[in-house]
Amino acid sequence: MNLDARSVALHLGLIAVLIVLGFVLPTYHQGNLARILVLATYAVGYNVLFGYTGLLSLGHAMFFAAGMYGCGMAMHLGGLTVIPAFVIGLICAAALSAVVALLALRTIGVAFMIVTLMFAQSVYLTALYLGEWTGGDEGFVIAQATRQIAGYALTEPLTRYFAALTLFAVALLITARMMQMSFGRVLIGVRENEERTRMLGYDVFRHKLGAVIISGTIAGAAGAGYAVLFGYVGATFASVQYSIFPLLWVLLGGMGTTIGPLIGVAFMFYLIDYASGVTNAYMLIAGAALVLLTLFARAGIVGEIRNRWVPWLP
Amino acid sequence: MEFGPHLMLAILEGAVGASVLALTALGLSLVFGVMRVVNVAHGEFFMLGAVVAWFVANSIAGHPAIGFLAALAIAPLIAGAVAMLVDRLILKNVAYDPEATIVGTIGVLYILQQSALMIYGPEARPVEPPFSHRIALPWVEWGENGLAFFYPWGLSITSYKLFVIVAAIAILLAFWLVMSRTRLGLIMRATQMDRETALAFGIPVQRVYSIVFGFGAALAALAAVLIVPIQQAHYLMGHDPLLLSFIVVIIGGLGSVRGTIVAALLIGMSDGIISVFLSPTLSKIIATLLVALVLVFRPQGLFGKKMA
């Protein structure tokens, strides 16, 4: 098998396993996995920018929140059904990421990280400030009856699981395909050596702009999906913590790998789930993981596997 | 209260905030200036200072001033020691790579914050001020009988708040003396200007880095000890000082001490004044957007010189 065929087989195999898991897992873990899949979609989006393009954003929660509020408020206040509301969420995230990209991409390195952090912080504060419509800190709940597509209730566990899986699978396949095309190759070129890529005649700015918009829109899709599937929209999802999470997930799973984001989310989700049963200071785990990853395993789980045993992993 | 006295009260409250902010931001600025790294855990060293101050003040019996003075000495030492440990164990091992340092210090942020939650608990607890007298402030106005001189209701400040302002100015002066008049300051400035040459002249750059990182954290802790009798010690209290320090350091120009202090006054005062008249959230939205735009369009800061 050549490289591309192998990676297609890997991704389709992964999706097949996830389909089977949907039927065999007990309800509790099935619910968890649905949540993991939506968050992994968020991580897949983050990975496009951080893992492949080499741009470290500390503000992705604003794109997640843009999708979430765009979709949630369209349903809650606008009375739209799921599909059009979801599209509105996507448009919100895409528009926000385009604006942020045009400004933030004028900076590089540490300045880029801080600019994205500040933009995300102002989005978070705006969500609090407009509490009359957004519900502020408390957020709002989307009515159960409206959360259905063509008669299929998204509140029903198995339907919800497959909706989450569809969202994740689409994001995974789109990014995997993108990285095989020349656009994705140029992004990796930008990550490895921006100057040389520019010298070779590629328009680096336009590729970075594309990366931010694709990354932000996928993150927004995850946010909109979260609102629809779990029925809650709140400012917590716009806070700094939700900008740090995707960084942690992608670092843990393996930056610049297609399946790393899912592995990272699943690992961290169960670790935090377990830790929160023991202590209320469960974020300690996240802190320790970040420090240990920085010190000892920059490549993450899938990255280490690729470095040691399976060099063809996409 | 009428507009005039209200504004004066807002300015006074703003000045208290600004002086504490200047100390905190100075620590961040020093670390960035000398080491070229961003310490995201800076706010947690602030929190550590406040929490240690609470422990110290509560374990010492007698007049609150004794506990406060002890806290003033002990909290910065502990925060500094923890920071030096972080420098040795983490920053040194990633060779002060800017991005790895940010990710690592985000980890340290959560470790410190969550450890405080485990040891200190989720409550907000006050530290008793060493002294606190209410000082009513006069106001003048043109009345029917010419210039009237009176004490409007509510226009007052406590003696402790005035002390905070004075103490902050004293610490800033001491900092300036250390940086400009001592050998340690000379070594720090030399390392900031040119790391390689400093190394060639036999300056132990690694040790300077440890000291600077500890020093920066100690400044944040010192600021926290000053503010904790007014605010309360809480494990999440590091968030706002971190954000505001970022804003100050960026607007003042990364690594510039003078710019940092001017920006701290500007941001601290306007934050205080806008918070009183409009809303604290709105003032923070304006400040964060301003910072993002300054970084995009004027990366050397509003007061900084353009770097080559």
Side-chain angles (χ1 to χ4, degrees), chain A residues 5-294:
Chain A
R6 269 182 185 172
S7 71
V8 169
L10 175 79
H11 297 139
L12 294 181
L14 177 69
I15 292 167
V17 169
L18 288 168
I19 290 174
V20 174
L21 280 177
F23 288 109
V24 299
L25 280 180
T27 323
Y28 173 70
H29 291 286
Q30 188 194 45
N32 280 351
L33 196 54
R35 219 171 273 261
I36 288 171
L37 285 169
V38 175
L39 295 176
T41 310
Y42 181 19
V44 164
Y46 188 80
N47 194 28
V48 170
L49 195 61
F50 174 55
Y52 291 117
T53 321
L55 288 170
L56 203 166
S57 147
L58 287 178
H60 254 51
M62 65 181 148
F63 306 133
F64 188 80
M68 179 175 243
Y69 277 107
C71 174
M73 286 164 79
M75 289 177 75
H76 187 65
L77 301 174
L80 291 184
T81 54
V82 169
I83 301 281
F86 187 83
V87 172
I88 287 181
L90 283 189
I91 293 171
C92 290
L96 181 66
S97 45
V99 173
V100 168
L102 284 173
L103 290 168
L105 284 177
R106 296 171 57 115
T107 63
I108 49 164
V110 172
F112 180 80
M113 299 159 79
I114 297 177
V115 168
T116 48
L117 177 72
M118 291 296 164
F119 276 128
Q121 191 64 24
S122 48
V123 167
Y124 167 67
L125 292 167
T126 308
L128 291 184
Y129 188 67
L130 301 177
E132 202 179 316
W133 297 283
T134 61
D137 244 345
E138 287 169 23
F140 57 87
V141 171
I142 301 173
Q144 283 216 352
T146 59
R147 285 162 52 205
Q148 46 102 1
I149 299 175
Y152 290 98
L154 294 170
T155 44
E156 196 274 318
L158 195 65
T159 319
R160 174 163 70 189
Y161 179 85
F162 279 104
L165 179 55
T166 311
L167 185 69
F168 172 74
V170 169
L172 176 73
L173 295 177
I174 286 178
T175 52
R177 182 77 196 107
M178 188 177 89
M179 296 323 293
Q180 289 170 347
M181 300 190 319
S182 72
F183 178 79
R185 305 275 181 202
V186 176
L187 292 188
I188 294 180
V190 171
R191 179 188 71 190
E192 295 300 323
N193 193 331
E194 190 172 328
E195 275 311 304
R196 188 175 294 174
T197 314
R198 188 172 292 125
M199 295 269 265
L200 287 171
Y202 293 105
D203 188 340
V204 168
F205 183 82
R206 259 184 47 205
H207 279 84
K208 282 179 165 178
L209 183 67
V212 177
I213 295 175
I214 291 169
S215 172
T217 310
I218 295 177
Y226 201 98
V228 169
L229 295 180
F230 302 102
Y232 171 72
V233 175
T236 326
F237 293 103
S239 66
V240 187
Q241 190 162 324
Y242 270 81
S243 291
I244 308 284
F245 271 137
L247 171 67
L248 174 60
W249 294 326
V250 171
L251 271 176
L252 179 63
M255 56 185 283
T257 63
T258 48
I259 56 172
L262 176 68
I263 308 278
V265 175
F267 209 84
M268 211 59 220
F269 188 91
Y270 274 100
L271 209 58
I272 287 185
D273 189 50
Y274 172 74
S276 58
V278 181
T279 163
N280 58 354
Y282 56 86
M283 279 301 286
L284 190 62
I285 303 273
L290 278 173
V291 170
L292 293 176
L293 285 166
T294 329

Side-chain angles (χ1 to χ4, degrees), chain B residues 10 38 85:
Chain B
V38 177
L85 201 67

Side-chain angles (χ1 to χ4, degrees), chain A residues 253-254 257 296-310:
Chain A
T257 63
F296 303 116
R298 295 273 193 99
I301 297 172
V302 179
E304 290 293 331
I305 293 175
R306 172 159 69 184
N307 289 346
R308 279 159 210 252
W309 300 294
V310 201

Side-chain angles (χ1 to χ4, degrees), chain B residues 108-187:
Chain B
V108 173
L109 180 161
Y110 282 115
I111 292 177
L112 290 177
Q113 181 197 83
Q114 300 290 311
S115 305
L117 172 62
M118 280 206 282
I119 298 165
Y120 173 79
E123 300 86 9
R125 300 189 180 99
V127 169
E128 209 180 321
F131 51 85
S132 182
H133 314 281
R134 188 178 161 277
I135 303 172
L137 296 170
W139 187 255
V140 281
E141 212 163 75
W142 280 105
E144 289 166 10
N145 315 319
L147 201 62
F149 186 76
F150 66 107
Y151 290 88
W153 186 85
L155 181 61
S156 67
I157 189 165
T158 63
S159 55
Y160 181 75
K161 284 184 179 172
L162 288 178
F163 165 76
V164 170
I165 299 174
V166 175
I169 293 172
I171 294 167
L172 289 176
L173 279 176
F175 176 84
W176 177 74
L177 281 176
V178 168
M179 286 309 275
S180 62
R181 295 280 186 277
T182 67
R183 196 177 145 68
L184 180 67
L186 183 69
I187 288 176

Side-chain angles (χ1 to χ4, degrees), chain B:
Chain B
M1 220 188 301
E2 287 177 34
F3 180 75
H6 203 171
L7 180 66
M8 185 168 162
L9 194 66
I11 289 175
L12 281 171
E13 293 291 331
V16 175
S19 42
V20 172
L21 180 58
L23 291 182
T24 318
L26 194 59
L28 194 67
S29 171
L30 177 73
V31 168
F32 183 84
V34 177
M35 302 166 67
R36 298 275 134 193
V37 297
V38 177
N39 176 14
V40 185
H42 195 65
E44 303 314 308
F45 290 112
F46 182 90
M47 180 275 295
L48 193 64
V51 167
V52 170
W54 183 84
F55 275 113
V56 171
N58 274 275
S59 54
I60 293 178
H63 194 271
I66 304 169
F68 179 78
L69 282 176
L72 217 45
I74 295 172
L77 278 181
I78 292 185
V82 172
M84 285 170 93
L85 201 67
V86 167
D87 175 71
R88 281 292 155 88
L89 292 180
I90 301 170
L91 302 193
K92 189 181 157 199
N93 288 318
V94 298
Y96 300 96
D97 172 66
E99 297 203 350
T101 304
I102 290 194
V103 178
T105 49
I106 291 173
V108 173
L109 180 161
Y110 282 115
I111 292 177
L112 290 177
Q113 181 197 83
Q114 300 290 311
S115 305
L117 172 62
M118 280 206 282
I119 298 165
Y120 173 79
E123 300 86 9
R125 300 189 180 99
V127 169
E128 209 180 321
F131 51 85
S132 182
H133 314 281
R134 188 178 161 277
I135 303 172
L137 296 170
W139 187 255
V140 281
E141 212 163 75
W142 280 105
E144 289 166 10
N145 315 319
L147 201 62
F149 186 76
F150 66 107
Y151 290 88
W153 186 85
L155 181 61
S156 67
I157 189 165
T158 63
S159 55
Y160 181 75
K161 284 184 179 172
L162 288 178
F163 165 76
V164 170
I165 299 174
V166 175
I169 293 172
I171 294 167
L172 289 176
L173 279 176
F175 176 84
W176 177 74
L177 281 176
V178 168
M179 286 309 275
S180 62
R181 295 280 186 277
T182 67
R183 196 177 145 68
L184 180 67
L186 183 69
I187 288 176
M188 287 201 257
R189 280 183 292 138
T191 314
Q192 168 162 12
M193 268 178 205
D194 190 337
R195 183 181 177 277
E196 306 288 309
T197 314
L199 205 58
F201 274 81
I203 291 176
V205 167
Q206 177 58 51
R207 264 190 34 218
V208 175
Y209 277 10
S210 278
I211 292 170
V212 165
F213 203 69
F215 202 36
L219 274 172
L222 202 56
V225 179
L226 287 177
I227 202 70
V228 81
I230 302 172
Q231 283 177 5
Q232 294 186 328
H234 185 252
Y235 81 103
L236 287 177
M237 74 189 294
H239 189 261
D240 277 359
L242 174 70
L243 197 69
L244 284 172
S245 300
F246 262 43
I247 293 171
V248 164
V249 170
I250 288 161
I251 292 202
L254 290 168
S256 140
V257 169
R258 204 173 309 153
T260 302
I261 292 172
V262 175
L265 286 177
L266 189 76
I267 297 289
M269 297 291 281
S270 55
D271 186 53
I273 294 170
I274 299 176
S275 297
V276 168
F277 287 104
L278 296 166
S279 110
T281 317
L282 190 63
S283 99
K284 290 215 175 63
I285 295 177
I286 295 170
T288 45
L289 279 179
L290 179 67
V291 157
L293 295 177
V294 164
L295 263 179
V296 170
F297 294 107
R298 221 187 128 77
Q300 70 273 30
L302 288 184
F303 308 107
K305 276 189 236 110
K306 206 164 200 144
M307 268 185 284

